Amino acid sequence: MTHETYTNPVLNADWSDPDVIRVGDDFYLTASSFGRVPGLPLLHSRDLVNWTLIGHALQRLEPATEFRTPRHDCGVWAPALRYHDERFWIFWGDPDQGIFQINAPEIRGPWTRPHLLKEGKGLIDPCPLWDDDSDEAYLVHAWAKSRAGIKNRLTGHRMHPDGTTLLDDGKVIVDADLIPGWFTLEGPKVHQHDGWYWIFAPAGGVETGWQGAFRSRGFFGPYEEKVVLAQGDTDTNGPHQGAWVRTPSGEDWFLHFQQRGAYGRLVHLQPMRWDEEGWPVMGDNGAPVAVHRKPDLPPQPPAAPATDDDFPGGRYGRQWQWTANPQDGWATHHSGDGLRLSCARTSDAHDLRKLPNLLTQRLPGTPVAVEVELRLHSEELGARAGLAVLGDAYSWIGLERGADGRVMFVHRFAEPVAMGAPPTPFGQWGSERDAGEPCLAPEGRVRLRIEIGTGARCRFFYDVGDGPRPTGQVFAATPWRWVGALLGLFALAPVGTGHAGAATFTRFRISSL
């Protein structure tokens, strides 16, 4: 009998630090969302291969004043998703604030307001466990050296079963400084299986690391360890940090990420079994698989998180996130199709990385063409709107109303931010510069196209009514520190008074190259 196969990655975009659970016949996934809003994406699958985005669990980042402006690498780090007592639970660490928890009776909500379970700097990657054999509950978390001054260890707590308080000061239950060759131990997920407490946790860094498994007869240890997934001779670098799930028929599977530069952290699916000594074996005897038979689950039609958008009634789809907590009036609902963005007044018009009103979605991990139609309605001199590829460096194409009142097509870019560097002849490091020759857009509208090839190399095109034309040089997209590059739509205007008008985006499309 032949079995259908799947090819990794099963999610070919930046769904960072995935955690997955099964409830009945349904699988649910959440991932890090860092400083983007809404946060904590919720994905659904019936076969672990085909996934759709069904919503978000976190509508605003808190405290709201901290996230009025972009904090791209902060916010929601490495969440844990669990189902207990007929409720869904998500725990995550904010490296600057502490460990938060939310819960809901259904995956689509309503979710509770974030509850700060443990306050402190550098508390990351929390995961709860409600003990199968007792009324005890536990929590394990890791540490971020950038905030706490320590890393490479896991701390365990007893937790009140209602998930609201921790019952002790915590104890280091795994100190990887004592394990030869191990460093940057983080991302723990705790389970019970076969009479053992298990902690699945990665080490070795996001690009070069491996997946470890730890087991102990008691939650607080002592634990023994084993490397259960590593790159080996494969092309899958740093395979680690993710979720063990079991299908209704008893098959075991492990989902993890692979760091791929500007594309961020892509999600892979590995078969998993248990060896004669009771240890998990992932992939092909501990090495990642590229192609494998599908899980023993009912066949499902091909599916992936949505990318295209017609913006019906001015509303944007679930795939879009703002770069900070949104404010009323950024996007206006109306009777037709198209995204109508207000030209928000800002003193940061020279640097898109500082804009909170930038609407983004993930960069696909395969070669694609991104297209959108844009019309600039604003009469404000200096108003502009466009389509950007955004990271530590960025480039954008769009429209701007010039000093003479005419609407011009423009192409701009900014180099990576150099911390502490002196000003350049063009202004502060990272300030925008022209990347192509401006040209007149006589009707105030343009069709924009970005072709993103291998290595996230971007080529830009525009059409102001006389056919598509290339513009500028090839731009190699760059990631943020922990976040893949983003596609973004924006509208802005210089500082001033009164409403500055708007821009409308229509027919956003992403197609394979």
Side-chain angles (χ1 to χ4, degrees), residues 288-310:
V289 299
V291 179
H292 195 269
R293 70 162 179 84
K294 287 184 176 180
D296 181 21
L297 292 163
Q300 302 296 319
T307 56
D308 295 354
D309 206 341
D310 285 321

Side-chain angles (χ1 to χ4, degrees), residues 176-503:
D177 286 347
L178 304 179
I179 307 174
W182 283 58
F183 59 96
T184 316
L185 177 67
E186 56 188 349
K189 298 293 185 286
V190 59
H191 305 273
Q192 286 177 283
H193 171 68
D194 197 26
W196 297 88
Y197 291 87
W198 289 90
I199 298 176
F200 287 27
V206 293
E207 294 185 356
T208 57
W210 57 90
Q211 180 67 32
F214 298 80
R215 69 181 183 185
S216 173
R217 293 297 186 185
F219 173 77
F220 288 101
Y223 283 87
E224 52 183 326
E225 82 286 338
K226 188 175 184 178
V227 175
V228 294
L229 184 68
Q231 179 173 355
D233 295 327
T234 74
D235 294 329
T236 306
N237 60 293
H240 65 50
Q241 188 155 336
W244 161 38
V245 287
R246 175 166 286 175
T247 68
S249 66
E251 286 185 347
D252 292 305
W253 296 85
F254 185 73
L255 295 103
H256 65 89
F257 76 70
Q258 175 199 14
Q259 171 71 37
R260 281 197 55 215
Y263 300 113
R265 301 176 185 182
L266 318 181
V267 179
H268 291 236
L269 176 65
Q270 303 296 337
M272 181 175 137
R273 60 181 174 83
W274 301 86
D275 68 17
E276 61 279 2
E277 296 180 352
W279 287 94
V281 180
M282 297 176 181
D284 181 8
N285 291 316
V289 299
V291 179
H292 195 269
R293 70 162 179 84
K294 287 184 176 180
D296 181 21
L297 292 163
Q300 302 296 319
T307 56
D308 295 354
D309 206 341
D310 285 321
F311 309 107
R315 293 167 172 82
Y316 48 86
R318 297 187 184 101
Q319 65 267 36
W320 298 97
Q321 296 170 291
W322 299 101
T323 48
N325 281 334
Q327 297 177 23
D328 292 339
W330 284 355
T332 305
H333 296 168
H334 54 92
S335 59
D337 289 350
L339 176 70
R340 188 170 296 166
L341 293 183
S342 298
C343 292
R345 294 189 181 277
T346 177
S347 59
D348 292 318
H350 65 285
D351 193 344
L352 300 187
R353 291 162 296 209
K354 297 180 180 180
L355 289 187
N357 58 310
L358 203 144
L359 195 61
T360 69
Q361 64 166 283
R362 292 162 178 82
L363 192 72
T366 55
V368 295
V370 182
E371 291 188 293
V372 70
E373 296 174 9
L374 166 64
R375 183 174 182 183
L376 183 63
H377 309 285
S378 174
E379 299 294 327
E380 188 87 7
L381 302 185
R384 67 197 71 163
L387 167 65
V389 178
L390 185 74
D392 189 39
Y394 69 83
S395 188
W396 69 272
I397 49 177
L399 297 176
E400 180 175 18
R401 190 169 293 278
D404 61 0
R406 298 187 300 173
V407 176
M408 307 293 291
F409 165 80
V410 295
H411 183 185
R412 304 251 167 82
F413 80 102
E415 295 182 66
V417 176
M419 299 302 293
T424 72
F426 305 98
Q428 294 297 321
W429 268 94
S431 293
E432 283 186 358
R433 296 157 58 184
D434 283 326
E437 289 292 329
C439 81
L440 183 65
E443 297 183 6
R445 65 175 69 217
V446 66
R447 181 74 182 171
L448 305 171
R449 178 180 173 93
I450 305 176
E451 295 182 357
I452 307 173
T454 303
R457 293 170 61 81
C458 305
R459 291 174 172 83
F460 299 83
F461 302 84
Y462 70 99
D463 183 353
V464 292
D466 54 357
R469 299 172 182 269
T471 171
Q473 302 300 314
V474 171
F475 170 76
T478 63
W480 304 92
R481 188 177 181 192
W482 308 124
V483 182
L486 300 167
L487 300 170
L489 305 176
F490 69 92
L492 58 86
V495 173
T497 58
H499 183 61

Side-chain angles (χ1 to χ4, degrees), residues 149-172:
I150 58 173
K151 67 170 186 175
N152 209 31
R153 64 196 65 178
L154 306 179
T155 295
H157 292 266
R158 290 180 61 239
M159 182 178 73
H160 194 287
D162 68 5
T164 60
T165 53
L166 300 178
L167 304 180
D168 57 33
D169 293 331
K171 174 188 175 183
V172 174

